[in-house]
Amino acid sequence: MTNKELQTLGITDIMDGTSTGDNWFAQGERVTSTSPVDGRAIAQVVSTTKKDYETVLKTAEQAKKKWAEIPAPKRGEIVRQFGEQLRELKPILGKLVSYEMGKSYQEGMGEVQEMIDICDFAVGQSRQLYGATIHSERPLHRMYEQYHPIGIVAIISAFNFPVAVWSWNAALALVCGDVIIWKASEKTPCCAIACQKILAKVLQKNQLPEGISSLITGDATVGRWLAEDVRIPLVSATGSTRMGRQVATTVANRLGRSLLELGGNNAIIVTPDADLKMTIIGAVFGAVGTAGQRCTSTRRLIVHEDVYEQVKIALSQAYKQIKIGDPLNSKNHMGPLIDHQAVRTYQEALANIKDQGGSFLVSGSVLKGHGYESGCYVEPVIAEVENHWEIVQRETFAPILYLIKYSGDITQAIALQNAVPQGLSSAIMTTNLREAEVFLSQNGSDCGIANVNIGTSGAEIGGAFGGEKETGGGRESGSDSWKAYMRRQTNTINYSTSLPLAQGITFDF
């Protein structure tokens, strides 16, 4: 990525990592953002200190009242303008996402498109923040519900989707009348700074106050400040289950709200009636896309014994065609893992698979030599395992696909799929209508997302995104997810000349 392209997004050699609108400052230590693509430093980012943090909170509190008083459709207009800026900068911002995170350029562009899509969705939603009218049991009374802005929303995002997941929260929170504070991943700070600068220019152009959108950077300590802060009614956190537990416990201790989107251990069930061509495409993209670093990545393939050998052969052939290398080269299917720690996790997982008795249909290792100098490139792996093994029960953020055989009917396959602690995304490949409906029934998949004849990755903006069990139970993006960013209020108006009480109670004196 060229310096000119970085400068277009406001990325320079050394950058402050704290912002309240268009005001940038930071006094903490410098953290270097290094690309896993080639191992080169992109920029140094100055981390947020506690003093910086207090400045951000003070500015956000000053902005929240004025922002909430602006009519929702007018707030939607600001989000629309932000979406237009993203359209103009999509090729360059998508390239930065690819270069700093390591996903393919197509996926980087797709992530920016998600931002544009959620802006479009939020603009429409700004005219549909509906309440409800409720019939009162008392004569000449009207009862209804309405929604008000919740205030300050903290957004903690993960490295694997360095801009899209923030935008899911930000676009909706903004049209709901909230101000936002973003704690981006310390592994992808440049993406966050670029997005904050784009939005800050829109806010400044419209003469809106600082603090409507703020950015803080740093490690888990900075995230802990948000979780502990009683001034922040809602903390939306995306990341590991371990992190989510810490956020949920801390926020609940002060009776705040948390919106959690955590780990996944996603499976595709392949029945005897599956279209195997579609199955292989869905499974390979799900397992290899983003080098297996999506929360919706396909981790497990639960295959009926009647088609098990066919699936193995087809997968082996497909994996031979996967090209690994610079994600900015459109000919490559898979880029690097995010950093050397992720590589060590990959290696440890392979050792655990072997120790627990697994066999490798497609083995893998860390790639070395020309083009792989960063040390973050690995080969995708397919392992034959048992579903109950410890290594299979936990999420490994790497391109490792587990093959699991089942022999009974669809209920056995569903039981295997559900027998993990996580509950994010799931899929079934079948042309059998009965199997599909059983999979989608109340006794079917226990995940927040359940797909038929598509893979586990690639959720659309229109539907609510999130999962159950250790995935955290939160919902972001589409449908009625906007309600998480508002406080609900029930109102009753008495337009009679008396004061009747509910439940027929009398109180005379």
Side-chain angles (χ1 to χ4, degrees):
M1 193 164 190
T2 67
N3 288 334
K4 184 177 180 180
E5 289 171 324
L6 290 170
Q7 289 168 5
T8 300
L9 297 172
I11 307 301
T12 56
D13 291 340
I14 301 175
M15 299 175 296
D16 292 335
T18 306
S19 167
T20 55
D22 201 40
N23 181 26
W24 291 83
F25 57 95
Q27 305 173 54
E29 65 176 307
R30 293 183 181 181
V31 176
T32 301
S33 175
T34 302
S35 171
V37 174
D38 53 20
R40 295 179 181 176
I42 302 172
Q44 287 190 325
V45 178
V46 184
S47 300
T48 302
T49 66
K50 186 64 173 178
K51 183 179 178 181
D52 296 334
Y53 174 83
E54 288 300 326
T55 300
V56 167
L57 260 294
K58 181 180 179 181
T59 310
E61 287 195 302
Q62 291 171 344
K64 71 178 183 181
K65 184 175 181 180
K66 182 173 182 179
W67 181 241
E69 289 174 347
I70 295 172
K74 298 293 186 183
R75 300 192 296 254
E77 168 60 17
I78 301 303
V79 173
R80 186 197 67 78
Q81 292 178 32
F82 178 50
E84 288 303 307
Q85 289 299 302
L86 292 174
R87 282 182 169 88
E88 290 184 21
L89 295 168
K90 178 180 173 180
I92 302 176
L93 183 56
K95 194 171 184 179
L96 176 60
V97 170
S98 176
Y99 187 62
E100 188 173 34
M101 186 270 152
K103 63 177 59 177
S104 73
Y105 181 51
Q106 283 192 43
E107 291 183 79
M109 292 279 281
E111 187 167 344
V112 179
Q113 186 61 49
E114 280 195 63
M115 301 177 76
I116 295 166
D117 292 345
I118 195 62
C119 285
D120 289 349
F121 182 94
V123 172
Q125 191 67 66
S126 69
R127 294 181 181 270
Q128 301 181 80
L129 302 177
Y130 295 141
T133 299
I134 305 161
H135 288 281
S136 173
E137 66 183 58
R138 290 170 282 188
L140 303 179
H141 282 60
R142 181 165 66 90
M143 184 163 57
Y144 66 97
E145 289 181 340
Q146 62 177 333
Y147 289 85
H148 295 297
I150 198 172
I152 300 175
V153 173
I155 304 166
I156 301 174
S157 63
F159 75 86
N160 59 331
F161 280 86
V163 297
V165 175
W166 166 74
S167 72
W168 295 355
N169 289 272
L172 290 178
L174 288 173
V175 298
C176 287
D178 303 317
V179 301
I180 54 176
I181 299 174
W182 182 12
K183 190 277 177 192
S185 170
E186 62 271 30
K187 298 181 180 183
T188 50
C190 295
C191 288
I193 289 170
C195 290
Q196 174 67 6
K197 288 191 173 186
I198 295 167
L199 180 53
K201 287 181 180 178
V202 173
L203 296 172
Q204 187 181 47
K205 179 183 176 182
N206 287 272
Q207 299 181 324
L208 290 166
E210 284 187 39
I212 291 174
S213 175
S214 301
L215 176 68
I216 56 178
T217 57
D219 59 16
T221 300
V222 179
R224 196 174 303 117
W225 296 340
L226 295 171
E228 293 172 347
D229 200 322
V230 295
R231 295 168 290 183
I232 301 174
L234 174 64
V235 178
S236 176
T238 302
S240 69
T241 297
R242 178 187 57 79
M243 180 276 290
R245 282 199 179 97
Q246 294 172 348
V247 170
T249 302
T250 304
V251 175
N253 189 55
R254 60 176 175 85
L255 298 181
R257 295 192 211 169
S258 57
L259 193 166
L260 304 175
E261 198 281 283
L262 310 175
N265 196 346
N266 316 294
I268 298 176
I269 295 172
V270 185
T271 80
D273 292 313
D275 181 320
L276 293 188
K277 182 178 179 180
M278 290 172 57
T279 297
I280 299 304
I281 294 171
V284 174
F285 174 73
V288 172
T290 323
Q293 296 173 112
R294 291 183 177 220
C295 52
T296 56
S297 289
T298 304
R299 310 285 177 203
R300 297 174 295 144
L301 208 59
I302 301 171
V303 185
H304 193 274
E305 61 181 359
D306 288 354
V307 292
Y308 189 79
E309 293 302 322
Q310 289 175 264
V311 169
K312 283 176 60 176
I313 293 170
L315 279 174
S316 298
Q317 293 174 343
Y319 269 53
K320 291 177 182 177
Q321 301 175 53
I322 294 171
K323 295 181 175 64
I324 306 166
D326 183 349
L328 295 176
N329 183 339
S330 61
K331 294 181 180 180
N332 292 324
H333 302 100
M334 193 179 103
L337 294 176
I338 184 64
D339 56 21
H340 295 147
Q341 178 56 53
V343 173
R344 288 191 290 272
T345 300
Y346 162 87
Q347 293 173 310
E348 290 167 3
L350 298 188
N352 285 338
I353 292 167
K354 187 175 180 180
D355 291 344
Q356 292 176 40
S359 60
F360 293 101
L361 176 64
V362 176
S363 58
S365 61
V366 180
L367 294 171
K368 299 179 181 180
H370 180 67
Y372 305 127
E373 287 86 355
S374 70
C376 295
Y377 291 87
V378 302
E379 294 174 308
V381 170
I382 303 175
E384 295 182 83
V385 299
E386 297 292 334
N387 194 67
H388 64 274
W389 291 356
E390 185 273 337
I391 185 63
V392 181
Q393 290 286 305
R394 57 184 165 90
E395 180 187 46
T396 300
F397 245 41
I400 302 173
L401 179 63
Y402 299 120
L403 271 183
I404 300 161
K405 184 189 295 185
Y406 80 99
S407 57
D409 62 13
I410 187 60
T411 59
Q412 183 189 5
I414 292 171
L416 286 169
Q417 181 215 272
N418 293 345
V420 293
Q422 309 84 0
L424 179 52
S425 187
S426 59
I428 186 171
M429 293 292 183
T430 183
T431 56
N432 184 310
L433 178 62
R434 176 186 168 276
E435 289 180 332
E437 291 293 344
V438 170
F439 177 74
L440 298 175
S441 72
Q442 69 273 16
N443 294 319
S445 170
D446 64 0
C447 297
I449 299 169
N451 299 325
V452 176
N453 290 329
I454 62 172
T456 59
S457 288
E460 295 181 28
I461 286 301
F465 182 90
E468 303 300 323
K469 301 189 294 187
E470 287 192 357
T471 303
R475 293 297 185 275
E476 298 170 327
S477 186
S479 186
D480 64 349
S481 298
W482 62 272
K483 293 180 179 179
Y485 307 94
M486 306 197 82
R487 59 181 177 89
R488 181 186 299 204
Q489 186 180 77
T490 301
N491 308 107
T492 306
I493 300 172
N494 176 6
Y495 56 97
S496 74
T497 58
S498 61
L499 188 63
L501 302 177
Q503 292 85 47
I505 296 172
T506 59
F507 187 75
D508 297 325
F509 59 93

